[in-house]
Every structure is written in structure tokens, then in C-alpha cells.
Amino acid sequence: MSYKVSVTREIPDPGLPMVKEIAPDARVNPHDRVLTREELLDYVKGCDGVLCLLTDPIDAEVFDAAGPQCKIFANYAVGYNNIDVDAATERGILITNTPGVLTDATADHAWALLFSTARRIVEADEYMRAGKFEGWGPMMFLGGDITGKTLGIVGAGRIGTAFALKSKGFNMKVLYYDLSRNDELESELGATKVDLDTLMEQSDYVSVHVALTDETTHLIDADKLGKMKSSAYLINTARGPVVDEVALIEALKSGSIAGAGLDVFEDEPEMKPGLADCKTAVIVPHIASATIWTRSKMAEMAASNLTAGLKGETPPNLVNPEAAK
Ligand code: GLV
Ligand code: GLV
């Protein structure tokens, strides 16, 4: 049986060869860019399955454009806030993601942002390249200490936990905010579960690791930012809208916090006005999972999920099992 499949953007090997194995005529976006809304609606039309990206807004209109035969949308990401899962479930369409394989890459990247923000690596690099270094100075590029400081984890799921565990070598005190207790963090690190206000007040580094939902939108707002120490830093490798970016820019400009390391943005790929002028922010384009191994594993997982869904099997990373009933 031949399946009609679309892939909304090229993904690394072995993703496409795996897709082509089950759907030799799969339509793959040939452009190195996100499909427009019109193109997306056209790509999904009549498909049995779609491999989509976190940059594709997938909602009821898209599912209806695909049609009643459609079995699965396999997202190439662990986060699936781009997909209206309820609308999929109502239509019996399976939704899958790529958890696990990007946990360490994302946690590592949060550390890269933490270090580069605290130690002003980007600013210092620019200074060097501009030929401004005229000799060692006692006041040059003073930043924040890391070893022995307090680390606050907002969202102690897979990625938040991996990020926290990597603090071992830096002998940090670890606080976490989550709905559930995390035994691993408590036994491995002596971490303490606290409410969000306490975490914001006491942490020297606050790192955000929650999924984006209605409840976590602007979880870190002006009020929460206002509770942070003026010497503290905010790191976000989760999703932009978890942090009120306008309030964050205000906090950076007024110096009410020491800096921020950001991988994600509220209106991606746009930045809110003024962020690019904030010297104490390190800002990178949503690259936390961007390692060669991780992106390839994500491709393999998304293609495996798609293949299982097309064959009527239960995909390994199904996020809406109710849809299969
Ligand atoms: C990346 O942001 C992902 O959710 O995989
Ligand atoms: C991401 O999937 C997480 O659980 O942190």
C-alpha cells in the first residue's frame, strides 16, 4: 500500500530515507525555509501522514485540509505547543514528538548560555575582535560567580533534571519549582522543592525548563522578574512565551537583573524591540538541540513515529493515546 506523505522541511539523515521507504513519493519542502500558511494547507491536502516542525502552526484548519483519512502528524521536536492536540484527538489523528534524544544537548546548551552570560563571553569576544584589548585590567569584564552559587530550576522534567544534575561539579545549591516532587534531584543533589516566588528570590541563576501551555504562558512575568536579585541571571531554553519578553527587556535595561541567556523568543523568529540592544543578554537562534547527533536522532524518531502511525501501529512517542481509541 502506498501512503501519501508530506514533510514540511528537509530534516537530517536518516529521516528522509526512512520516510521514502514507506512513502516513496513523499513530498518534501524543497526550500530552506518554513512553509507559508497557504503552502502548508496545500502540502497536507489528502495526506495519510505529515512530518512537521515546531515552526508549523498545526490546528483544526490544517487537519481539515488534510482530510479524514489522515492518521498522523509526527512533530520534529520534543515541544508540541505548535499543535492543537485536542483538535487532533477529536479527529482521531495521532500526534508524536521526539523526547529524550535532545535532553542532554538542550541541558548542555543551557549551561553554555549560563556560562557565556555570567562571564560575558560574547561581549569580550567582540571587544577582542574589535582590537580594543590594550592589556589586562582589574576592572575588565567583571561577571558573576558560578561555583557555590544557587541554581533555580523552573520545571524539573527530563531537561530540567539533566541540567540540574550537571551542576554537580560546581557545588551549587539547587532549588526547583515543579508540580511534582523530584526524588532524583533531592537524593543526588540535596535539591529543595520551593514555590516559584522563593525560587526567584533566592536563586543566582534561574533556568526555565517547562513546556509551553496556557498555564506556563508568562509564568515569568514582571512580578516574578522583580523578585530576582539584581546580581541574578535568567536562562531560557524552553519556549519564548514562558517569559514576558517586554518585562525582561525592562529588567535588563534597568539593571534589576544582571543578565539573561536566551535561546527562544516570544514572537520567534522576531525579538521584541530593544532586546538586541541589551548588552547583558546573550541571544541565540533556538539552537539548543542543534548537535549533529541529536538532530539526526530526532529525524530518526520522527520518521519511526510517522511510519508506525501510517501502518496503524502505536507510535513509540505518541502524545495523545486517546486519539488511537
Ligand atoms: C525544540 O525546541 C524542541 O522542542 O525540540
Ligand atoms: C522535556 O521534554 C522535558 O521533559 O523536560
Side-chain angles (χ1 to χ4, degrees), residues 3 21-22 71-72 304-314:
Y3 299 104
E21 210 167 286
I22 181 141
K71 294 195 175 75
I72 178 164
S304 298
N305 285 322
L306 179 78
T307 302
L310 289 171
K311 288 182 173 166
E313 296 162 4
T314 303

Side-chain angles (χ1 to χ4, degrees), residues 54 76-80 98 102 237-239 264 286 289 298:
L54 63 92
Y76 181 74
V78 66
Y80 47 87
T98 62
L102 45 66
T237 51
R239 283 291 182 268
V264 288
H286 202 152
S289 67
M298 288 168 66

Side-chain angles (χ1 to χ4, degrees), residues 176 189 260 277 294 303 311:
Y176 71 98
L189 300 173
D277 304 324
T294 296
K311 288 182 173 166

Side-chain angles (χ1 to χ4, degrees), residues 78-313:
V78 66
Y80 47 87
N81 56 285
N82 58 306
I83 300 180
D84 183 340
V85 176
D86 290 339
T89 304
E90 278 166 26
R91 290 163 178 77
I93 295 176
L94 308 182
I95 302 299
T96 60
N97 68 340
T98 62
V101 293
L102 45 66
T103 299
D104 280 314
T106 305
D108 290 352
H109 187 69
W111 278 103
L113 284 175
L114 189 155
F115 282 114
S116 50
T117 306
R119 300 306 304 270
R120 304 174 61 181
I121 297 298
V122 176
E123 258 183 288
D125 176 277
E126 280 170 2
Y127 180 89
M128 205 62 207
R129 287 171 202 270
K132 292 182 183 164
F133 185 40
E134 289 177 352
W136 185 88
M139 304 298 277
M140 270 173 61
F141 292 106
L142 305 186
D145 284 299
I146 296 165
T147 297
K149 291 293 177 178
T150 298
L151 188 62
I153 311 295
V154 179
R158 282 176 295 253
I159 296 169
T161 300
F163 173 78
L165 290 172
K166 291 174 200 287
S167 74
K168 267 189 180 172
F170 300 99
N171 197 26
M172 297 174 93
K173 174 176 176 188
V174 177
L175 306 176
Y176 71 98
Y177 166 73
D178 201 288
L179 300 181
S180 3
R181 168 148 254 118
N182 187 314
D183 292 332
E184 189 180 8
L185 287 189
E186 299 200 5
S187 62
E188 290 285 316
L189 300 173
T192 311
K193 183 171 183 288
V194 293
D195 61 56
L196 188 53
D197 284 355
T198 304
L199 183 142
M200 300 307 288
E201 281 161 18
Q202 296 188 0
S203 299
D204 297 301
Y205 297 92
V206 173
S207 191
V208 180
H209 300 282
V210 291
L212 177 63
T213 62
D214 288 344
E215 288 73 38
T216 62
T217 299
H218 283 194
L219 180 68
I220 310 295
D221 58 7
D223 174 64
K224 293 288 181 283
L225 290 166
K227 298 194 187 299
M228 289 174 72
K229 303 180 195 178
S230 59
S231 56
Y233 298 83
L234 180 79
I235 309 299
N236 188 5
T237 51
R239 283 291 182 268
V242 175
V243 176
D244 179 341
E245 197 171 306
V246 169
L248 175 63
I249 292 166
E250 219 21 70
L252 290 168
K253 288 204 160 148
S254 70
S256 78
I257 68 171
L262 306 174
D263 185 57
V264 288
F265 305 90
E266 214 175 327
D267 305 322
E268 242 172 82
E270 308 296 327
M271 287 180 280
K272 296 280 193 202
L275 182 59
D277 304 324
C278 293
K279 281 277 179 218
T280 56
V282 172
I283 43 185
V284 298
H286 202 152
I287 54 171
S289 67
T291 71
I292 296 162
W293 182 87
T294 296
R295 288 285 167 85
S296 160
K297 276 292 176 194
M298 288 168 66
E300 189 181 327
M301 277 177 106
S304 298
N305 285 322
L306 179 78
T307 302
L310 289 171
K311 288 182 173 166
E313 296 162 4

